[in-house]
Amino acid sequence: MIDQVIEYNKAFVAEKGYEKYVTDKYPSKKLAVLSCMDTRLTELLPAALGLKNGDAKIIKNAGGLVISPFDSAIRSLVVAIYELGVEEVMVVAHSCCGACHMSFSHFHQLMNERGITDETLSVVRKCGIDIDQWLEGFKDTHASVKQTVETIKTHPLIPTDIIVRGFIIDSTTGELEEVV
């Protein structure tokens, strides 16, 4: 599959397909969106929000979560705010998310089946990683959005003048429900 992507890329560049996407690094709407990496949202999310290339910084991870105060989502938001001029943050979870009800016990079995031993997992734990928590999902999407918004709003490195709001987008229709 990667070879197919590379071949497509060569044609894309040769035909100057990139020209309609040219913009700079600063989000024109001064907006950052933290959302899930779900493939259903790849085109639906920006379309449903009316965003085009260059409008917003879109940060994606499994579940659209902030799982710890200094994870990559917070790091990306700090950079977006201080370096790129972001003034507002939308947390956008979605319906039928795979991270809902996700658990380490599920991953543990799959990891073992793929050759990751319990000894290796023990070494990870000894490095200070709570892998059970790290791979835990959430049970309630509304509560998850509220928690993520609160974590961002109260983070010591996020300025208090940053507007942070939370939503759930319908994975099929793109309809937004404001949570907080």
Side-chain angles (χ1 to χ4, degrees):
M1 181 52 62
I2 294 174
D3 288 338
Q4 290 175 17
V5 169
I6 291 169
E7 285 304 311
Y8 176 86
N9 176 259
K10 288 176 184 175
F12 177 83
V13 173
E15 297 165 11
K16 299 184 188 242
Y18 57 84
E19 288 179 341
K20 67 181 181 179
Y21 301 105
V22 173
T23 186
D24 65 25
K25 67 181 181 178
Y26 299 97
S28 62
K29 295 187 184 270
K30 299 186 182 304
L31 175 69
V33 179
L34 172 61
S35 191
C36 185
M37 65 183 197
D38 191 293
T39 56
R40 293 171 289 182
L41 301 181
T42 301
E43 291 188 34
L44 177 64
L45 178 70
L49 301 182
L51 299 175
K52 65 181 186 334
N53 199 47
D55 282 348
K57 293 299 177 184
I58 299 180
I59 302 159
K60 292 186 167 198
N61 65 29
L65 305 171
V66 172
I67 58 171
S68 72
F70 294 95
D71 68 6
S72 65
I74 288 290
R75 179 177 183 267
S76 295
L77 288 171
V78 166
V79 170
I81 291 164
Y82 290 104
E83 182 66 22
L84 304 172
V86 162
E87 297 174 355
E88 297 185 53
V89 176
M90 288 180 75
V91 174
V92 184
H94 67 100
S95 61
C96 305
C97 183
C100 193
H101 308 293
M102 192 170 75
S103 70
F104 172 70
S105 60
H106 171 74
F107 284 106
H108 184 200
Q109 177 185 340
L110 296 173
M111 287 176 175
N112 286 162
E113 290 171 5
R114 301 281 301 266
I116 307 300
T117 66
D118 286 340
E119 182 179 323
T120 298
L121 294 172
S122 178
V123 170
V124 170
R125 285 187 176 94
K126 287 179 184 174
C127 292
I129 303 298
D130 181 351
I131 197 161
D132 298 45
Q133 181 63 32
W134 188 65
L135 286 173
E136 187 69 24
F138 52 88
K139 308 300 180 235
D140 179 329
T141 306
H142 287 81
S144 173
V145 169
K146 287 178 185 175
Q147 177 62 49
T148 296
V149 166
E150 185 64 17
T151 300
I152 296 168
K153 280 184 168 182
T154 61
H155 195 280
L157 301 179
I158 303 292
T160 57
D161 63 339
I162 296 298
I163 296 166
V164 184
R165 294 168 63 184
F167 303 84
I168 298 172
I169 190 170
D170 184 288
S171 299
T172 302
T173 67
E175 181 179 9
L176 281 180
E177 171 194 351
E178 186 158 9
V179 175
V180 62

